[in-house]
Amino acid sequence: KANDKGKIKIKKVVDNTAKDVEIQIDIPSGISPDVTIDALYAFTDCEVSISPNACIIIDDTPHFLTVEEILRLSTDNTKELLRQELEIKLAELKEKLLYSSLERIFIENRIYRDIEECETWEAVIETIDKGLDPYKAQFYREITEEDIVRLTEIKIKRISRFDAFKADELIRNLETDIQETEHHLANLVDYSIAYFENILAKHGKDKERKAQIMNFETIQVRRVAVANEKLYVNRKEGFIGYGLKKDEYVKDCSDIDDVIVFRGDGKYLVTRVSDKAFVGKDIIHVDVWKKGDERKVYHAVYRDPKEGKNYIKRFAVTAITRDREYDVTKGNKNSKLIYFTAHPNSEEETISVYLTANCRAKKKEFEFDFGSLAIKGRASQGNVLTKYPIRKIVQKEIGSSTLGGRKIWYDETVGRLNVEKRGQFLGEFDTEDLIIAFYRNGSYQLTNFELTNRFDISKLVLIEKFNSKKIYSAIHYEGKKKDYYVKRFQIESTKLGKEFVFISEESGSKLMLISSQPKPQVKYQVSAGGRKKDDVTVDLAEFIDVKGWKALGNRLDSRKVYNKFQEIIVESEDSENLQVGDSVEWEGKDLNEKNQGKLFE
């Protein structure tokens, strides 16, 4: 049902249930399993919250009780059952002790000899009973005829092999068990507590919990919703929606997303995306709006006709009432936005301001850095930029983020970047930071950290934050010479988006290993004659010097090399191995956090 409505994307559901329940969900390529699992809990009945009335039967009558009352009744019932078990055990132990004592007296005192002259069964019973008379006071109950009959059933073989020492030891053990059982009965609460504490240790083996106790209430529905629609805008007529197929494409979105719209008159609003909606003419900016996004910062310059001044402001829109119009300006009639930009990572920005030629200002052209402004709330009026009329404003440059770097992860299952902590952590990224990706064909590519970027997981071998000073080590097979070569190089060509091949382009050439470790070591095998193979470990940093990225490199080995290369990661705490841009942790804290970097510097 969720798939039919476009809330999640799945290919099919296979029911493999046999002895155990097993439901297999196949997802399309490009869809993250982690996101899908969260989406199942957000949009389906995988987890249903219920509030049952706890009803139990007591003395053939239903009672509606609280959990605490049921727990108390259950515990008292268990305690009573334990008491009964102990009493049964005590009775059994006393019977064993009684019979063992009778048996020892019967054999040690040779009472069995007294019955040799008896001619009737009654005489046998009476003789044995008379022989036991001196000892009857030590027993906890009277000796019955049934007890005496059991003594007559003892085999002669057992009498002849009777061991008094073992008999005494058995009796002592029974007496110890009886004392322990009586102690448990006298301290039944403590015994019951120990019983509950030992249940897991005694009965828990191979019965570990299969379910996971997790709180899915924190799942944000919009975060896991599939982008199943495309957002379009008609700026002139003032319409937005996913039904405007012939108009300007904005971006992919889900059918439950909110959209923020800014207009030239300084008004803006947030509305739920729909097939087609009128939001006002002269649209200058439209985007999917995320509640609580403090990194998305807007820069605006507007003219207030009432005061005749131009104001500049830097603000975020983190919370808002849907479908209610707000003002970037002070709200006066005929106010107008002169300049507006949106920055997803709170980037700084420098603008060039050009005043009208006939104004009285001595300086008719100047620059202003938005980074000098504090990021305020959406209701702030801003600072006065100039009281003179503005002819135009031109963006000069975009700087770094004023809120610090943005933490980016790479989800290796779908080949996408994310900020939801899925997959491999790549680091904190500022405006000018880049990502470098190495591919199996022996090429590398530099990209920005836009979350829309996607990497081919079938071709990718290494991805990380780009550091221009880092040295990369590679082993590659040269197709023409049919041999393995080693090279170490730095990235020189940094054109964004273009793939640069750094190994031989001869047919059959291929990349075997790429490492960004400061002192990489590689293990491989060589032929040692016949079927024998030797393991070889090479320190690549000592094997070859750093050369140009187009260099072929040095031959790895003169012997026959088998293409199973294994990189050995050498963990080192030496600070000399650290390079600019390396990710470092100190006492579990990221050094890039406030003040930590200064402390380590």
Side-chain angles (χ1 to χ4, degrees), residues 471-473 486-490 518 520 540-541 544-547:
I471 298 170
Y472 293 93
S473 305
V486 178
K487 61 185 295 183
R488 302 186 75 229
F489 62 98
Q490 287 182 296
L540 300 184
I544 185 173
D545 293 330
V546 177
K547 299 183 178 182

Side-chain angles (χ1 to χ4, degrees), residues 481-545:
K481 297 183 178 181
K482 301 188 182 304
D483 219 330
Y484 294 96
Y485 286 81
V486 178
K487 61 185 295 183
R488 302 186 75 229
F489 62 98
Q490 287 182 296
I491 302 300
E492 300 172 18
S493 299
T494 57
K495 187 176 180 180
L496 214 61
K498 183 178 178 181
E499 288 192 23
F500 296 91
V501 179
F502 58 89
I503 66 171
S504 170
E505 297 189 44
E506 294 288 341
S507 176
S509 298
K510 53 186 175 181
L511 177 66
M512 307 308 301
L513 182 143
I514 181 74
S515 173
S516 61
Q517 294 294 318
K519 294 182 178 181
Q521 294 185 12
V522 175
K523 184 178 180 181
Y524 60 93
Q525 290 185 324
V526 297
S527 176
R531 295 183 178 180
K532 189 177 179 181
K533 298 177 183 178
D534 285 341
D535 291 331
V536 179
T537 301
V538 174
D539 189 327
L540 300 184
E542 296 180 0
F543 186 83
I544 185 173
D545 293 330

Side-chain angles (χ1 to χ4, degrees), residues 212-392:
Q212 296 180 1
I213 301 177
M214 299 179 66
N215 182 13
F216 285 91
E217 293 178 359
T218 57
I219 294 174
Q220 297 183 14
V221 171
R222 285 178 174 80
R223 180 171 291 180
V224 298
V226 174
N228 54 357
E229 300 289 355
K230 295 183 182 296
L231 179 63
Y232 299 91
V233 60
N234 185 324
R235 297 179 185 272
K236 185 178 179 181
E237 298 299 327
F239 287 95
I240 63 168
Y242 46 79
L244 308 175
K245 307 293 185 183
K246 296 181 180 180
D247 291 305
E248 178 187 344
Y249 167 74
V250 179
K251 66 190 308 183
D252 289 352
C253 66
S254 74
D255 56 3
I256 62 172
D257 276 335
D258 289 323
V259 180
I260 189 167
V261 177
F262 290 86
R263 303 198 305 259
D265 60 0
K267 300 285 194 301
Y268 66 96
L269 61 88
V270 171
T271 185
R272 179 67 59 84
V273 69
S274 60
D275 182 64
K276 182 179 180 181
F278 179 75
V279 292
K281 296 183 178 181
D282 192 18
I283 297 173
I284 61 173
H285 176 77
V286 59
D287 197 5
V288 172
W289 180 73
K290 302 294 183 184
K291 184 179 180 180
D293 187 358
E294 296 179 351
R295 302 195 72 89
K296 185 70 172 282
V297 174
Y298 302 98
H299 294 173
V301 178
Y302 67 91
R303 181 166 180 79
D304 182 48
K306 186 176 180 180
E307 297 182 1
K309 296 178 182 179
N310 299 288
Y311 288 85
I312 187 167
K313 63 187 292 187
R314 195 167 186 237
F315 65 101
V317 182
T318 56
I320 205 168
T321 302
R322 191 183 288 120
D323 295 322
R324 175 183 169 184
E325 284 194 348
Y326 294 84
D327 259 305
V328 176
T329 71
K330 298 172 82 171
N332 294 323
K333 188 177 180 181
N334 296 325
S335 296
K336 184 178 181 181
L337 279 177
I338 301 173
Y339 181 81
F340 183 88
T341 53
H343 299 274
N345 198 31
S346 68
E347 292 86 351
E348 297 177 349
E349 177 185 14
T350 302
I351 57 174
S352 298
V353 181
Y354 300 89
L355 305 179
T356 57
N358 57 356
C359 71
R360 293 182 180 182
K362 293 181 180 180
K363 191 176 181 181
K364 293 181 170 58
E365 180 183 334
F366 62 92
E367 293 180 357
F368 187 88
D369 183 7
F370 272 95
S372 63
L373 295 176
I375 301 173
K376 297 184 178 181
R378 51 181 172 76
S380 66
Q381 71 171 19
N383 297 353
V384 175
L385 177 63
T386 177
K387 63 180 180 179
Y388 299 107
I390 296 175
R391 178 167 58 89
K392 69 174 180 178

Side-chain angles (χ1 to χ4, degrees), residues 137 177 229 284 378 414 427 463 527 565 574 591 593 596:
D177 291 342
E229 300 289 355
I284 61 173
R378 51 181 172 76
V414 297
I463 184 171
S527 176
F565 297 97
D574 297 337
L591 293 178
E593 292 181 1
Q596 293 288 330

Side-chain angles (χ1 to χ4, degrees), residues 31 51 91 102 124 227 297 374-375 409 503 548 601:
I31 302 299
S51 300
L102 284 175
V124 170
V297 174
I375 301 173
W409 282 260
I503 66 171
E601 191 175 16

